Amino acid sequence: VSDNELQEIRNKQKANGEASRYDNRHRDLNPIKEAQFQAEGRSAVVRFKIDDHAIITWNDLVRGQMEWRGSDLGGDMVIARRADARSIGDPLYNLVVVADDSAMKITHVIRGEDHIANTAKQLLLYKALNLPIPKFAHTPLILNSEGRKLSKRDGVTSITDFQNMGYTAEAVSNYMSLLGWSPPENMNELFTLEEASLVFGFERVNKAGAKFDWDKLNWLNSQILHGWSPEKLLQNLIPLWENLGWKIPETSWGISLAELLAPSLVVLKDAIEQAKPFFEEPPLEPDGIKQLEIDGAKSVLKFLDEELSIHPWDGLEIEQAKHLIQKSASAAEVKKGLAMKTLRAALLGNMKGPDLLTSWSLLARIGQDRNRFRRCF
């Protein structure tokens, strides 16, 4: 069939409000017509004849009994690409998967519902080739928030993208399992693939499309991160930090930092911004500067600097830190709360961040506390 003929078919069907399909012309060429087409230099595809009156049925593991009519499959199916009329082009998807799955002795074909029409076509090929027919299951599609099929437009292109965004393999597999499948009532939504495999059944796979929920994925990922040991968390954070040129001075220090950051992590990449003040001296931000301008604030820092010059603190004893803060507040004649806020502003540059005493301890252990006090005088 020439391109012009195909366009003519489409135009006619469109004008009549008909669904687009091949009208099976040239299905039974006689030798004379075939020779004429070859003399004209026409190329050809290889098509599989589909009887419009055929009824194709199968028991879908998700959707139950399915039935398709041959007339709904768009005409004779192309199974090899266009090529010179004297040769055969490369085989196409529907023929290839049938041959491939049969060669690999595939027993179950599980794929998205957008392949249902392909299944009907492939069943015809299985029967024509006298091959064992696998069982089929068609799962619901993953939809975006607007109910449309998830695509690159939604910022999702591959599993690697999730990894680059800071999601764990455990969270992604956990969440993907929940898309279109409902765990038993006595099962928590937070589970491993091994746990899911023990209770999985097609009878709990939904027929309706599943909307992708970033909030749910974030919650699952945060729960998994919060459940990791500080040692495991550190192992996953070190590559992120080293990409920025940040190296931990010693393993125990890194474990302490991972333990400090863990409760606030949603994705692993959150640990980049949150860990930055421990690897690079942060600038003084407006709220930090405002705190340092309060009467007595700089006196607190001067007292701490002088006290530590006489009695150095290596950051290992939190109780010692509490005692120093109380002494600095008394010396500057301010409340303890003001002393603590001032300490946070000097060390972290602003008024937000992780636990203050642990942060000071970590910075003191690498000798990065007093220099931050002195920049505020």
Side-chain angles (χ1 to χ4, degrees):
V1 182
S2 68
D3 290 338
N4 288 337
E5 285 179 301
L6 288 174
Q7 190 58 52
E8 176 190 326
I9 295 171
R10 294 190 190 100
N11 292 341
K12 183 178 179 181
Q13 291 169 343
K14 185 176 181 180
N16 293 333
E18 300 172 354
S20 179
R21 57 168 285 141
Y22 178 57
D23 64 2
N24 297 338
R25 65 179 63 186
H26 310 322
R27 171 189 271 188
D28 300 301
L29 289 179
N30 58 46
I32 296 175
K33 197 68 173 177
E34 189 174 327
Q36 176 189 332
F37 284 169
Q38 289 183 6
E40 293 174 1
R42 289 199 185 196
S43 56
V45 298
V46 177
R47 289 182 181 269
F48 179 87
K49 290 183 179 179
I50 296 180
D51 180 0
D52 279 353
H53 300 291
I55 302 295
I56 305 104
T57 62
W58 74 92
N59 183 37
D60 194 279
L61 296 177
V62 173
R63 298 168 188 282
Q65 193 64 23
M66 301 290 291
E67 180 177 300
W68 278 67
R69 305 182 71 87
S71 57
D72 295 328
L73 297 179
D76 291 344
M77 169 177 39
V78 180
I79 58 173
R81 294 184 187 279
R82 186 179 296 274
D84 181 270
R86 296 177 179 81
S87 60
I88 296 176
D90 294 334
L92 291 174
Y93 172 75
N94 282 313
L95 176 59
V96 170
V97 294
V98 167
D100 197 35
D101 288 354
S102 178
M104 292 192 295
K105 295 181 170 52
I106 297 297
T107 59
H108 292 70
V109 176
I110 305 169
R111 56 192 179 189
E113 64 181 354
D114 50 341
H115 279 280
I116 290 177
N118 283 329
T119 295
K121 295 176 182 179
Q122 289 162 23
L123 284 170
L124 294 174
L125 291 171
Y126 275 109
K127 292 175 182 177
L129 297 171
N130 195 29
L131 296 173
I133 298 174
K135 295 181 179 180
F136 289 90
H138 293 88
T139 60
L141 298 179
I142 300 175
L143 310 175
N144 62 19
S145 59
E146 297 174 350
R148 293 196 297 268
K149 183 179 177 181
L150 203 64
S151 67
K152 292 181 180 180
R153 196 175 307 169
D154 299 294
V156 178
T157 56
S158 70
I159 292 297
T160 304
D161 287 337
F162 287 106
Q163 183 181 33
N164 293 337
M165 292 164 70
Y167 292 99
T168 64
E170 295 93 330
V172 172
S173 59
N174 189 164
Y175 183 61
M176 291 300 177
S177 299
L178 289 171
L179 283 176
W181 177 70
S182 301
E185 291 181 4
N186 61 345
M187 185 175 182
N188 195 291
E189 287 188 316
L190 190 64
F191 52 76
T192 65
L193 281 181
E194 290 74 19
E195 291 168 338
S197 68
L198 297 175
V199 296
F200 178 83
F202 287 105
E203 70 280 358
R204 300 191 69 86
V205 175
N206 304 322
K207 296 180 177 64
K211 286 190 177 181
F212 195 94
D213 185 346
W214 286 100
D215 290 337
K216 187 63 168 290
L217 175 59
N218 286 336
W219 178 80
L220 286 170
N221 201 72
S222 69
Q223 295 305 299
I224 287 169
L225 291 180
H226 298 167
W228 280 1
S229 68
E231 291 80 6
K232 181 175 181 179
L233 179 58
L234 178 62
Q235 289 175 0
N236 284 269
L237 294 180
I238 284 177
L240 297 179
W241 292 340
E242 288 185 342
N243 283 340
L244 297 168
W246 299 343
K247 294 188 180 297
I248 60 173
E250 58 179 4
T251 301
S252 62
W253 186 91
I255 290 174
S256 296
L257 178 57
E259 192 170 18
L260 172 67
L261 302 179
S264 60
L265 297 182
V266 175
V267 295
L268 284 167
K269 290 189 73 172
D270 289 342
I272 292 178
E273 189 63 30
Q274 293 181 28
K276 190 174 182 179
F278 298 92
F279 293 102
E280 299 177 5
E281 184 173 286
L284 294 172
E285 298 181 17
D287 59 343
I289 293 172
K290 184 177 180 180
Q291 175 64 33
L292 293 169
E293 291 174 347
I294 296 176
D295 289 342
K298 293 180 181 179
S299 297
V300 167
L301 298 177
K302 287 179 181 179
F303 176 86
L304 289 174
D305 183 48
E306 292 171 0
E307 188 73 10
L308 291 172
S309 68
I310 302 170
H311 305 291
W313 177 54
D314 61 9
L316 296 178
E317 295 292 339
I318 296 298
E319 287 303 317
Q320 186 179 355
K322 292 180 180 178
H323 178 64
L324 284 171
I325 292 173
Q326 185 61 63
K327 284 183 68 176
S328 69
S330 297
E333 298 182 345
V334 297
K335 292 183 178 180
K336 182 181 176 181
L338 185 144
M340 293 188 71
K341 290 180 180 179
T342 300
L343 181 61
R344 180 178 292 279
L347 292 175
L348 303 177
N350 59 49
M351 305 310 296
K352 299 176 182 178
D355 179 74
L356 175 61
L357 296 180
T358 307
S359 298
W360 185 13
S361 173
L362 285 166
L363 291 168
R365 285 163 65 179
I366 57 174
Q368 292 297 316
D369 56 343
R370 290 179 61 198
N371 59 323
R372 298 189 186 188
F373 297 159
R374 290 192 293 269
R375 68 173 175 162
C376 302
F377 297 167

